[in-house]
Amino acid sequence: MAKVCWPYFDPEYENFSNRINPPRVSVDNDSCHDCTLIKFDSVNKPGILLEVVQILTDLDFIITKAYISSDGGWFMDVFHVTDQQGKKITDSKTIDFIEKALGPKGKSTEGVKSWPGKRVDVHSVGEHTAIELIGRDRPGLLSEISAVLASLQFNVIAAEVWTHNRRIACVLYLNDATSQAVDDPKRLSIMEEQLNHILRGCEDDEKVARTSFSMGFTHMDRRLHQMLFADRDYESAGATTTDVDCPPSFRPKIRIERCEEKGYSAVSVRCKDRAKLMFDIVCTLTDMEYVVFHATISSEGPYASQEYFIRHMDGCTLDTEGEKERVIKCIEAAIQRRVSEGVSLELCAKDRVGLLSEVTRILRENGLRVCRAGVSTIGEKGLNVFYVRDAYGNPVDMKIIEALRKEIGQTIMVNVKKEPANTTKAPETRGWAKTSFFFGNLLERFLT
């Protein structure tokens, strides 16, 4: 089969094409009785599917069905979405925002380039400095990281932490005690040195762990996928169903076949349904430089079925068993990074330097291991969500949770949620994600 390469897009021609044929978006609440249809048409270009799915995901929509077609110069898709409560999207401000985000002005990056908080070698969003950490996970590591930041008088304003296959990846937004972004090279150098020492332990090797300052705007979930993919966390994925980072009930079934008629590779995924599932899979395919030409997404009770017709950016299909195995492992890892079974703790307290350090220290002292965490700040309130297991990766004894609630309940509001193994919606759809830091980031694009 002859190679069909992805066409080169000249920036000036693309801008001209967008002016002649601007993206079209419509929000339809009449065609379906139980969901809203979002229809999007645009000139095709690399990465456009991920852009659209990322916007819908950042708005915390649940995608129940989707139909994607982009074979040729035009990109067309239809998304069936609901809000967190399973209802249609009827709020006029939200609909206006959708049309603006996906419309002709939604792809402009001029506001990003001129953002006043940008610094040389350090990325600040407003009054926040972004850092990225990746290393080998162990019980109590997040507590140690938080203690270092607190001792240096850094306050964690927003963060997300993922663990998978005994690796940990963190994106944190910090400021100092005066609520200002930190751009003092000396303070940042000290922080980097101490964090690297904790992450690497006795091994002074950048491949084991590293601390870095992100450049440009960082989308937390997107960046975490990129970090773990680059760290090759997928290499031990699927090795055993007893891995503590891989609950057996969430193991996806992935199959890759060749579609001879059109020259595609058909990737079929069936797994437990949850929020942001499509986003996670599309992220991984994009990172692996695969182009999605067609896709069908549907939810069937507690399960999701997704099928993607793909080629590599060089036009090749997946012809060898090694290529297929690598794609299967990477998709499986992308699905499992966000999976949590067991107990989630939602904590709310007045924001202050050292709050995260105090909470994670108490979790560690009670023998709890943080598998995933989200931190956000709303006004003067710090909102933290932790998904925890015991130090060995087993389900947590609820007696420990009750003792912990009594210990910290005097100064911190605590909400405990038991996440059943047959849950059909991910915990993040009901917790901190509703007010997450990046909903504001999405709005920033239209405030400049």
Side-chain angles (χ1 to χ4, degrees), residues 15-31:
N15 291 336
F16 176 75
S17 181
N18 283 333
R19 288 196 297 270
I20 299 300
N21 298 297
R24 297 192 300 266
V25 58
S26 67
V27 180
D28 178 4
N29 274 315
D30 298 325
S31 299

Side-chain angles (χ1 to χ4, degrees), residues 134-138 166-167 193-210:
I134 192 159
R136 184 174 295 146
D137 188 31
R138 65 176 184 271
R166 297 176 176 83
R167 302 296 291 172
E193 180 181 355
Q194 294 191 17
L195 289 176
N196 281 337
H197 177 72
I198 285 180
L199 288 167
R200 295 173 186 172
C202 299
E203 302 180 67
D204 189 17
D205 185 352
E206 287 188 5
K207 294 181 181 179
V208 174
R210 61 187 177 277

